[in-house]
Amino acid sequence: MEEKTIGLMGAMSEEVARLYARMTDRSEESLGGVTFYSGVLAGRRVILCCAGIGKVNAACAAQLLILKFGAKALIFSGIAGNMTSKIGVGDVVIGETLLYHDAERRMIADTFPNLQEFHGDPAMIAAAEAACAAEGVRYLVGRIATGDNFVGDSATKNAIAAKCAPDCVEMEGAAVAHVAAKYETPCVVLRAMSDDADENAYETLVVKDFDITEYCDTAARICEELIRRL
Ligand code: ADE
């Protein structure tokens, strides 16, 4: 077994539970209200957590994964609001570029790593593409915009589209990629489209047009396939 620890961040406890169930040699430790599960998955040592929603929760967990738990690569898997007609609900965006849509990007880029946009690691993106293909999931490699608000109206959606033209919008990805860049750690962010980031978004998510159970099954399978390919 290659002893490079992989940090796995799931957005939903159901998804994390599925991955945890498939791990062997398990132990856990809680810090800052987040439980970090360590074990072996697909022959690789992994540390898994459900970080919580939003940029700060994501950044804290990503930093702990790297500095405290020794993760040498980060995978984030979750859901997002679709911003493109190229794919639909249930399909996946693999983050090639990740950026904040609600922040002063130029001011943030004043300090290391001096970036206004962050990038998924090419080898991890390729592995994620292969994992999606193996699981029969439609995907695109694209642009993910991150902010601390749930986007659930057309005016906000259109403003974000005009500002940064993302393929989807979510609440953690750029923060994870930002921390990963600070510590020169490769990362990849996977997002399954759960809604269209419009007036129906909240309803779609909460009333469960979007099947969380199915999503969590698929996401866990993609993650395991991805780890197998790293
Ligand atoms: N995650 C899933 N759907 C979302 C949306 N519409 N806005 C922000 N984050 C999301």
mmCIF file of all heavy atoms in Angstrom, residues 79-81 149-151 169-171 194-195 197 201 205, ligand 1:
data_model
loop_
_atom_site.group_PDB
_atom_site.id
_atom_site.type_symbol
_atom_site.label_atom_id
_atom_site.label_comp_id
_atom_site.label_asym_id
_atom_site.label_seq_id
_atom_site.Cartn_x
_atom_site.Cartn_y
_atom_site.Cartn_z
ATOM 1 N N ILE A 79 -22.507 18.826 -3.136
ATOM 2 C CA ILE A 79 -23.501 19.210 -4.136
ATOM 3 C C ILE A 79 -23.370 20.702 -4.455
ATOM 4 O O ILE A 79 -22.721 21.450 -3.719
ATOM 5 C CB ILE A 79 -24.941 18.890 -3.667
ATOM 6 C CG1 ILE A 79 -25.235 19.572 -2.326
ATOM 7 C CG2 ILE A 79 -25.138 17.386 -3.593
ATOM 8 C CD1 ILE A 79 -26.675 19.384 -1.858
ATOM 9 N N ALA A 80 -24.011 21.117 -5.564
ATOM 10 C CA ALA A 80 -23.916 22.519 -5.977
ATOM 11 C C ALA A 80 -25.128 22.897 -6.815
ATOM 12 O O ALA A 80 -25.854 22.032 -7.311
ATOM 13 C CB ALA A 80 -22.636 22.733 -6.789
ATOM 14 N N GLY A 81 -25.309 24.201 -6.969
ATOM 15 C CA GLY A 81 -26.349 24.720 -7.845
ATOM 16 C C GLY A 81 -25.798 24.843 -9.257
ATOM 17 O O GLY A 81 -24.744 25.449 -9.467
ATOM 18 N N ASN A 149 -23.347 32.316 0.778
ATOM 19 C CA ASN A 149 -24.812 32.299 0.689
ATOM 20 C C ASN A 149 -25.290 31.179 -0.221
ATOM 21 O O ASN A 149 -24.664 30.897 -1.255
ATOM 22 C CB ASN A 149 -25.341 33.625 0.121
ATOM 23 C CG ASN A 149 -25.196 34.753 1.110
ATOM 24 O OD1 ASN A 149 -25.502 34.602 2.296
ATOM 25 N ND2 ASN A 149 -24.685 35.885 0.635
ATOM 26 N N PHE A 150 -26.432 30.588 0.162
ATOM 27 C CA PHE A 150 -27.116 29.663 -0.736
ATOM 28 C C PHE A 150 -27.740 30.509 -1.843
ATOM 29 O O PHE A 150 -28.394 31.514 -1.562
ATOM 30 C CB PHE A 150 -28.205 28.904 0.035
ATOM 31 C CG PHE A 150 -28.896 27.856 -0.772
ATOM 32 C CD1 PHE A 150 -28.368 26.578 -0.883
ATOM 33 C CD2 PHE A 150 -30.085 28.144 -1.440
ATOM 34 C CE1 PHE A 150 -28.987 25.607 -1.641
ATOM 35 C CE2 PHE A 150 -30.712 27.177 -2.202
ATOM 36 C CZ PHE A 150 -30.175 25.911 -2.304
ATOM 37 N N VAL A 151 -27.518 30.147 -3.099
ATOM 38 C CA VAL A 151 -28.045 30.942 -4.215
ATOM 39 C C VAL A 151 -29.408 30.359 -4.622
ATOM 40 O O VAL A 151 -29.496 29.240 -5.130
ATOM 41 C CB VAL A 151 -27.060 30.937 -5.403
ATOM 42 C CG1 VAL A 151 -27.619 31.747 -6.567
ATOM 43 C CG2 VAL A 151 -25.708 31.495 -4.966
ATOM 44 N N VAL A 169 -22.375 26.789 -8.517
ATOM 45 C CA VAL A 169 -22.143 27.626 -7.350
ATOM 46 C C VAL A 169 -22.338 26.781 -6.088
ATOM 47 O O VAL A 169 -23.257 25.974 -6.020
ATOM 48 C CB VAL A 169 -23.066 28.867 -7.402
ATOM 49 C CG1 VAL A 169 -24.525 28.484 -7.280
ATOM 50 C CG2 VAL A 169 -22.709 29.884 -6.370
ATOM 51 N N GLU A 170 -21.423 26.961 -5.142
ATOM 52 C CA GLU A 170 -21.502 26.206 -3.887
ATOM 53 C C GLU A 170 -20.863 27.015 -2.781
ATOM 54 O O GLU A 170 -20.620 28.207 -2.959
ATOM 55 C CB GLU A 170 -20.898 24.801 -4.062
ATOM 56 C CG GLU A 170 -19.634 24.718 -4.891
ATOM 57 C CD GLU A 170 -18.389 25.050 -4.115
ATOM 58 O OE1 GLU A 170 -18.263 26.179 -3.595
ATOM 59 O OE2 GLU A 170 -17.482 24.200 -4.077
ATOM 60 N N MET A 171 -20.563 26.396 -1.634
ATOM 61 C CA MET A 171 -20.224 27.193 -0.460
ATOM 62 C C MET A 171 -18.877 26.838 0.206
ATOM 63 O O MET A 171 -18.593 27.345 1.278
ATOM 64 C CB MET A 171 -21.376 27.104 0.565
ATOM 65 C CG MET A 171 -22.689 27.614 -0.022
ATOM 66 S SD MET A 171 -24.136 27.368 1.016
ATOM 67 C CE MET A 171 -23.834 28.577 2.293
ATOM 68 N N SER A 194 -27.425 19.680 -7.663
ATOM 69 C CA SER A 194 -28.634 19.324 -6.908
ATOM 70 C C SER A 194 -29.810 20.204 -7.273
ATOM 71 O O SER A 194 -30.956 19.885 -6.958
ATOM 72 C CB SER A 194 -28.357 19.452 -5.411
ATOM 73 O OG SER A 194 -27.957 20.769 -5.096
ATOM 74 N N ASP A 195 -29.549 21.360 -7.918
ATOM 75 C CA ASP A 195 -30.603 22.332 -8.219
ATOM 76 C C ASP A 195 -30.054 23.308 -9.238
ATOM 77 O O ASP A 195 -28.892 23.215 -9.628
ATOM 78 C CB ASP A 195 -31.015 23.064 -6.925
ATOM 79 C CG ASP A 195 -29.820 23.783 -6.292
ATOM 80 O OD1 ASP A 195 -29.522 24.894 -6.726
ATOM 81 O OD2 ASP A 195 -29.170 23.213 -5.396
ATOM 82 N N ALA A 197 -29.936 26.709 -8.819
ATOM 83 C CA ALA A 197 -29.568 27.982 -8.179
ATOM 84 C C ALA A 197 -30.582 29.099 -8.488
ATOM 85 O O ALA A 197 -30.203 30.272 -8.594
ATOM 86 C CB ALA A 197 -28.140 28.395 -8.590
ATOM 87 N N ALA A 201 -34.590 26.433 -6.139
ATOM 88 C CA ALA A 201 -33.426 25.693 -5.627
ATOM 89 C C ALA A 201 -33.667 25.115 -4.242
ATOM 90 O O ALA A 201 -33.450 23.919 -4.010
ATOM 91 C CB ALA A 201 -32.198 26.601 -5.618
ATOM 92 N N LEU A 205 -34.033 21.162 -3.279
ATOM 93 C CA LEU A 205 -33.115 20.491 -2.361
ATOM 94 C C LEU A 205 -33.869 19.925 -1.158
ATOM 95 O O LEU A 205 -33.706 18.766 -0.787
ATOM 96 C CB LEU A 205 -32.066 21.512 -1.900
ATOM 97 C CG LEU A 205 -30.727 20.984 -1.473
ATOM 98 C CD1 LEU A 205 -30.114 20.144 -2.586
ATOM 99 C CD2 LEU A 205 -29.806 22.145 -1.153
HETATM 100 N N1 ADE B 1 -25.263 23.830 -2.832
HETATM 101 C C1 ADE B 1 -26.249 23.197 -3.496
HETATM 102 N N2 ADE B 1 -27.056 24.055 -4.134
HETATM 103 C C2 ADE B 1 -26.548 25.292 -3.874
HETATM 104 C C3 ADE B 1 -26.931 26.600 -4.242
HETATM 105 N N3 ADE B 1 -28.012 26.798 -5.020
HETATM 106 N N4 ADE B 1 -26.193 27.630 -3.784
HETATM 107 C C4 ADE B 1 -25.114 27.420 -2.998
HETATM 108 N N5 ADE B 1 -24.712 26.201 -2.611
HETATM 109 C C5 ADE B 1 -25.416 25.149 -3.044
#
